[in-house]
Amino acid sequence: MEFTRKYDEIKRRGIFLRSSRVFYKTDWIADSSTALAVSTSRAAFVSLLRNPDSKAGFYIVRQTDSTSTPNITFKLNVTSTTAGALQIPLVVPSITFSGRQSKIIVTDYAFGNSSCAVYSTAQVFYAGTIDGRD
């Protein structure tokens, strides 16, 4: 049996979801089809999940047209973070992905015993404590 290119991505997502305690209790807030207007590009379809206790946000982004394969670039206008309203990313010009990729962008994301990221455009692999370190 030969695995496809998607196997690695699915495995990484599984490890993230299994280790991410704040993801276990999320509410669906909105998506691009229900007036969630956070992306600077219509090519990016965004769904927002939020943990009602920790206020962690999970912006799940994919191409609006699921058959589309060109690269897309965008920014997210995020209003509810502990740092206030942000247009992310702050350091690089935009978020980019190609083809049929998708991405989970986290905000106010608690991980380990005592750490919290205001946001991350990098895919979170593991959200736990190893040998006493977050």
Side-chain angles (χ1 to χ4, degrees):
M1 180 171 149
E2 188 174 326
F3 294 112
T4 66
R5 294 181 320 148
K6 291 288 185 179
Y7 174 78
D8 291 337
E9 180 61 28
I10 292 169
K11 186 172 182 175
R12 283 190 294 271
R13 290 272 170 92
I15 291 169
F16 162 68
L17 294 174
R18 186 175 54 209
S19 69
S20 181
R21 293 178 297 203
V22 294
F23 188 82
Y24 293 169
K25 182 181 178 184
T26 53
D27 296 328
W28 178 86
I29 304 300
D31 63 35
S32 295
S33 69
T34 60
L36 179 67
V38 294
S39 175
T40 59
S41 171
R42 290 185 182 186
F45 185 90
V46 183
S47 297
L48 172 58
L49 304 176
R50 185 168 312 284
N51 180 300
D53 301 328
S54 70
K55 305 302 182 206
F58 299 87
Y59 294 83
I60 303 168
V61 186
R62 63 172 176 81
Q63 295 233 23
T64 299
D65 177 359
S66 63
T67 64
S68 181
T69 57
N71 293 352
I72 64 170
T73 60
F74 60 94
K75 288 187 169 215
L76 286 182
N77 296 307
V78 179
T79 57
S80 55
T81 70
T82 53
L86 298 172
Q87 185 176 63
I88 57 177
L90 298 174
V91 178
V92 296
S94 61
I95 300 165
T96 303
F97 59 80
S98 61
R100 295 187 174 111
Q101 288 182 325
S102 64
K103 184 176 273 270
I104 300 174
I105 298 166
V106 296
T107 59
D108 293 329
Y109 184 68
F111 59 95
N113 289 327
S114 60
S115 298
C116 185
V118 174
Y119 80 90
S120 178
T121 58
Q123 297 287 95
V124 176
F125 177 68
Y126 180 75
T129 302
I130 298 174
D131 196 26
R133 295 183 67 194
D134 291 351

